[in-house]
Amino acid sequence: MDPLVATLALILLALLGARFSFSTRSVPAGPRLLLRTGTHFLFLGFLLGPTVLGLLSREALGQLSPLLGLALGWIGLLFGLQLDRGALKQFPPVFLVLALGQAALAFVLIVAAGIVAAGSLQVEGDSVLLVLLGAAATACISAPAGVAMVSANFMAKGRVKDLLFFIASVDAAVGITALHVVYATMHGDPVLMAPGGEPVWFRLLAGVGLGVICAVIFLWLARLRPSREELVLYLLGISALSAGAALQLQLSPLFVGMVSGALITNLNPNWHRVFRLMERWEKPIYLILLLLAGAALRFPTWWVVPLALAYAVVRGVAKVVSTALLVNTLTLPFPTPRRLGLGLVPQGGISIAMALSLALTLTSASPRIGGVDAGELLLATVVLGVVVSELVGPLFTTAVLRTAGEIAPGVEEALARGDREGARARTH
């Protein structure tokens, strides 16, 4: 397919997908989350890609890389806008410690489990270590979509639900930062990128510096309160600039976008206006990312299936263990279930964006693990692992909220009968 036609087709599919949604009233909780988060667009992209129909060839995907970079930059920028200092101060500081601490501890546990498993299978090398670190960075984070869906479906109310939503909304900062550190520490290693002479600290600061520069450019452009159309163009330009520069300099585009977004939200007095505009365009851009990720998806070996299952299981155990340790250690303002981490099992699109970003860099260097392309192996494992987590995650989240008493008695029975008015009355 001609790249121009492919671009127009992707934009049309994204706009239609953002405008029209599938009915999910009679769909079980797990599949409902898949539909609401747009994961089915991954499979649509896979069908359109070179593996199945070939409407999006490998050459066309390569020429669509600027569109992919724009999507990565937009997602990083939007996440950074959520890190508003004033909004975070509305919650107890111990919430932030718990959110970031459990993600960091989960990252360590996942890496340790991966190293032990690789050693027992006698699979070693820099490529293996890189894939383990990248997979752990994508696995240590959660997604608020699962908590929001369960809360809306069962009309849950309470402090445990609010705590779960807060944790899932901010802990991606740990995974995105960890991925940036992987980029910096592995730079110069031939399995990742062309050798370079810059020290690790220089590349760590380079990512921060690039994010600061992009934020300053946007703040300067937006100082005269531009119109809505101009602001959208500025946001598209900054997203493309930050991601394109990051990929060119072999840095993490999500990290650069996150730094820019955090600075914009804390320095721009009209950040709410910026955030509302980005939210309005979030779904079509997110769907473009999913379509391109699905088109780039390949299954180079049948080992992808057990690896994805292991990825999902190890991630779930790490989230439960790390959260339980911190719940028992920290002094929280209300009784918190020890198995709070079960409510963080649902995983979202940021993990897929992170895996796709690293897979693109890996593909350019073509490292291999047991004769299999490392980038293809990483992307396929993470995508299937995310699907598994989103299928079973809402069930665990529901169990946590039910145990905490935040799903009112009789609500589930009323909903099963289709009596939403009755369920709503029971919540009050």
Side-chain angles (χ1 to χ4, degrees):
M1 181 182 291
D2 183 86
L4 178 59
V5 177
T7 302
L8 295 176
L10 285 175
I11 293 175
L12 178 61
L13 285 173
L15 292 175
L16 290 175
R19 179 64 180 86
F20 301 103
S21 60
F22 294 95
S23 175
T24 59
R25 289 181 178 271
S26 61
V27 181
R32 187 184 302 122
L33 180 60
L34 286 177
L35 293 178
R36 287 188 176 180
T37 56
T39 310
H40 48 295
F41 281 91
L42 276 170
F43 300 102
L44 177 58
F46 181 70
L47 290 175
L48 296 176
T51 304
V52 184
L53 298 177
L55 297 179
L56 289 175
S57 64
R58 296 194 179 190
E59 293 76 14
L61 287 176
Q63 293 173 335
L64 289 173
S65 56
L67 197 60
L68 179 57
L70 170 64
L72 292 173
W74 190 278
I75 291 174
L77 186 63
L78 180 59
F79 175 76
L81 287 173
Q82 300 179 56
L83 304 179
D84 173 56
R85 184 174 61 253
L88 293 177
K89 285 185 177 180
Q90 296 178 9
F91 298 90
V94 69
F95 280 18
L96 188 61
V97 174
L98 175 59
L100 302 182
Q102 60 82 26
L105 185 55
F107 175 80
V108 174
L109 293 175
I110 295 168
V111 171
I115 291 176
V116 170
S120 63
L121 295 173
Q122 297 182 346
V123 180
E124 300 177 349
D126 294 332
S127 300
V128 175
L129 178 60
L130 178 61
V131 169
L132 284 177
L133 292 173
T138 66
C140 70
I141 67 177
S142 308
V147 181
M149 190 210 72
V150 171
S151 301
N153 188 61
F154 295 106
M155 303 177 187
K157 295 181 179 180
R159 293 179 291 183
V160 173
K161 183 263 294 183
D162 293 338
L163 176 58
L164 281 174
F165 192 82
F166 175 82
I167 293 174
S169 297
V170 302
D171 70 350
V174 174
I176 292 174
T177 303
L179 188 62
H180 174 61
V181 174
V182 171
Y183 268 84
T185 54
M186 300 296 286
H187 182 74
D189 194 313
V191 302
L192 180 59
M193 306 167 189
E198 305 90 351
V200 172
W201 64 265
F202 178 84
R203 301 200 62 78
L204 290 173
L205 292 180
V208 177
L210 181 58
V212 171
I213 292 172
C214 292
V216 169
I217 293 174
F218 177 82
L219 291 171
W220 180 78
L221 291 172
R223 73 194 188 284
L224 298 178
R225 193 174 176 81
S227 65
R228 179 183 302 177
E229 293 76 13
E230 290 175 325
L231 193 56
V232 170
L233 288 177
Y234 294 162
L235 289 170
L236 289 172
I238 288 298
S239 299
L241 174 63
S242 62
L247 291 172
Q248 185 66 29
L249 297 174
Q250 299 175 336
L251 300 170
S252 170
L254 291 168
F255 179 81
V256 174
M258 181 184 72
V259 172
S260 296
L263 288 175
I264 291 171
T265 193
N266 286 285
L267 298 179
N268 187 354
N270 297 316
W271 72 271
H272 290 90
R273 183 169 176 248
V274 176
F275 187 75
R276 285 194 298 269
L277 277 177
M278 293 205 69
E279 273 194 321
R280 181 173 301 177
W281 284 87
E282 175 190 13
K283 186 174 290 186
I285 290 180
Y286 177 54
L287 294 184
I288 288 176
L289 175 74
L290 291 178
L291 287 169
L292 290 176
L297 189 62
R298 296 176 184 83
F299 300 96
T301 172
W302 66 270
W303 276 100
V304 167
V305 175
L307 285 175
L309 292 175
Y311 170 92
V313 171
V314 171
R315 175 186 175 271
V317 172
K319 297 292 280 188
V320 173
V321 171
S322 60
T323 306
L325 290 174
L326 289 177
V327 166
N328 291 332
T329 303
L330 301 173
T331 303
L332 295 167
F334 54 84
T336 305
R338 291 185 177 180
R339 297 180 180 179
L340 182 71
L342 285 173
L344 301 173
V345 170
Q347 199 174 356
I350 290 184
S351 295
I352 296 176
M354 293 168 61
L356 184 58
S357 171
L358 186 55
L360 289 175
T361 310
L362 282 168
T363 301
S364 63
S366 301
R368 308 187 74 81
I369 298 176
V372 176
D373 185 278
E376 294 179 357
L377 182 65
L378 172 67
L379 183 60
T381 299
V382 172
V383 167
L384 291 182
V386 168
V387 172
V388 172
S389 297
E390 290 188 347
L391 279 172
V392 303
L395 304 178
F396 291 122
T397 303
T398 303
V400 171
L401 295 179
R402 187 187 296 121
T403 303
E406 298 190 0
I407 296 178
V411 168
E412 294 179 79
E413 291 80 2
L415 289 173
R417 297 193 303 268
D419 184 11
R420 293 192 65 83
E421 291 300 325
R424 188 174 293 106
R426 291 176 183 270
T427 63
H428 296 292

